[in-house]
Amino acid sequence: METEQQRLIRSIFSHDNPDNFDPRGLAIYRRNLVASACRALSVTFPTVEQLIGESLFRHAAQQMLSEFPPTAPDWGVWGEHFSRLLGQLPELEAYPYVRDCAQLDYACHLLNRAADCETDFHSLQLLVTAPTDHLLLQLSEGFSVLTSDYPVADIWLAHHDSDELSEDWIDRIHKKTGNSGKHGALVYRENHRVRVREISVDEQRWLGFLQQGMRLSDALDEMQDTDFNFENWLPEAVYQNIVSAVKTADLTA
């Protein structure tokens, strides 16, 4: 059932005011609503705002309100469809990478609002006491991987690394944009702070094997002919809250 707020938003962005709200009140509410939407989206999508500028960002926020109005009083849960909308706006054709950057921003936003994940450090002793064909690595829920035709991890880092976009970052992004193939971005939380880094194809494959529940020995066998180094990866993965525990495998399976 349509709520009063949804009817009000529909009237705000329609030309004929189908629900007969006071036009003067609508004008005031329209300004306040757009301002609130811009503030909320700028918190969730800070990289996008920097990329496209204030004017285009405000236009995108207005379109977002019209097509995907909020359904909850908490502005922080609004924005799921923003990346899709950005990819459809003709005004943003000069920014083909902005949709993927929005997906990365939103992944960071969700992880920032998520509960902390605990690591079972005691279980890591199994890596020393048990053979690898008896073990599974349990991954945390506190990370996500995105892939893009563009170096979105570098774009994100360039806009969060400092107050100004340096020439070094610009050169790095341009060089990687010209390369064929997919670019990966890992979103994780380290010391309660959300971070982003580039992730290689090999590491994406490795995480995929672990997410499938593959035994540690089998996953390592699959990575033998790659540059992946488990000994280097594991301590970083624990520190970055990617690995949450080591489990014993069901040997009857």
Side-chain angles (χ1 to χ4, degrees):
M1 181 178 294
E2 192 176 37
T3 66
E4 181 74 8
Q5 182 186 39
Q6 289 172 321
R7 287 195 296 272
L8 178 57
I9 292 175
R10 181 182 63 193
S11 293
I12 285 173
F13 291 100
S14 66
H15 297 290
D16 53 1
N17 188 11
D19 292 284
N20 295 318
F21 288 101
D22 179 10
R24 292 171 298 179
L26 283 180
I28 296 172
Y29 199 90
R30 179 182 294 112
R31 290 193 296 270
N32 292 338
L33 185 62
V34 171
S36 296
C38 286
R39 284 195 297 269
L41 292 177
S42 69
V43 171
T44 306
F45 302 93
T47 313
V48 173
E49 184 180 27
Q50 293 181 63
L51 284 170
I52 66 177
E54 182 179 352
S55 178
L56 279 176
F57 193 80
R58 182 180 178 85
H59 171 69
Q62 289 176 312
Q63 295 301 311
M64 182 72 174
L65 279 171
S66 178
E67 297 188 30
F68 303 102
T71 57
D74 181 4
W75 284 98
V77 301
W78 184 57
E80 178 183 0
H81 304 290
F82 194 51
S83 62
R84 183 173 56 159
L85 179 137
L86 292 174
Q88 297 171 347
L89 291 180
E91 296 86 351
L92 295 179
E93 289 182 357
Y95 303 87
Y97 45 82
V98 75
R99 175 175 180 169
D100 293 347
C101 290
Q103 290 178 341
L104 182 53
D105 268 347
Y106 193 64
C108 292
H109 175 70
L110 291 179
L111 184 53
N112 195 47
R113 290 172 61 93
D116 288 331
C117 297
E118 295 185 1
T119 301
D120 183 358
F121 290 100
H122 181 74
S123 70
L124 300 179
Q125 296 178 9
L126 289 170
L127 292 168
V128 178
T129 61
T132 57
D133 61 346
H134 289 198
L135 300 177
L136 303 172
L137 285 189
Q138 180 174 301
L139 299 180
S140 166
E141 295 181 358
F143 80 93
S144 59
V145 176
L146 293 87
T147 58
S148 172
D149 292 330
Y150 304 94
V152 289
D154 288 283
I155 294 173
W156 191 95
L157 289 167
H159 288 84
H160 293 259
D161 185 57
S162 63
D163 293 335
E164 295 184 2
L165 189 60
S166 69
E167 291 293 331
D168 289 341
W169 276 118
I170 294 173
D171 290 342
R172 186 184 308 181
I173 291 168
H174 283 168
K175 289 177 181 178
K176 289 187 177 181
T177 301
N179 295 336
S180 60
K182 292 287 185 179
H183 301 270
L186 177 71
V187 181
Y188 61 99
R189 189 153 58 189
E190 180 182 289
N191 293 328
H192 308 289
R193 181 178 178 182
V194 173
R195 298 187 182 275
V196 172
R197 68 169 170 85
E198 187 177 21
I199 181 173
S200 68
V201 173
D202 286 342
E203 187 177 359
Q204 290 183 60
R205 286 187 62 216
W206 168 254
L207 291 175
F209 293 144
L210 299 181
Q211 287 173 323
Q212 294 169 24
M214 189 177 289
R215 295 182 189 180
L216 181 55
S217 58
D218 294 335
L220 289 169
D221 287 343
E222 292 287 343
M223 302 302 294
Q224 278 187 352
D225 296 327
T226 71
D227 294 328
F228 180 77
N229 187 304
F230 176 68
E231 288 74 18
N232 291 339
W233 176 83
L234 181 61
E236 285 294 316
V238 172
Y239 184 66
Q240 295 172 356
N241 293 306
I242 297 171
V243 172
S244 62
V246 181
K247 301 289 187 180
T248 54
D250 181 4
L251 299 181
T252 62

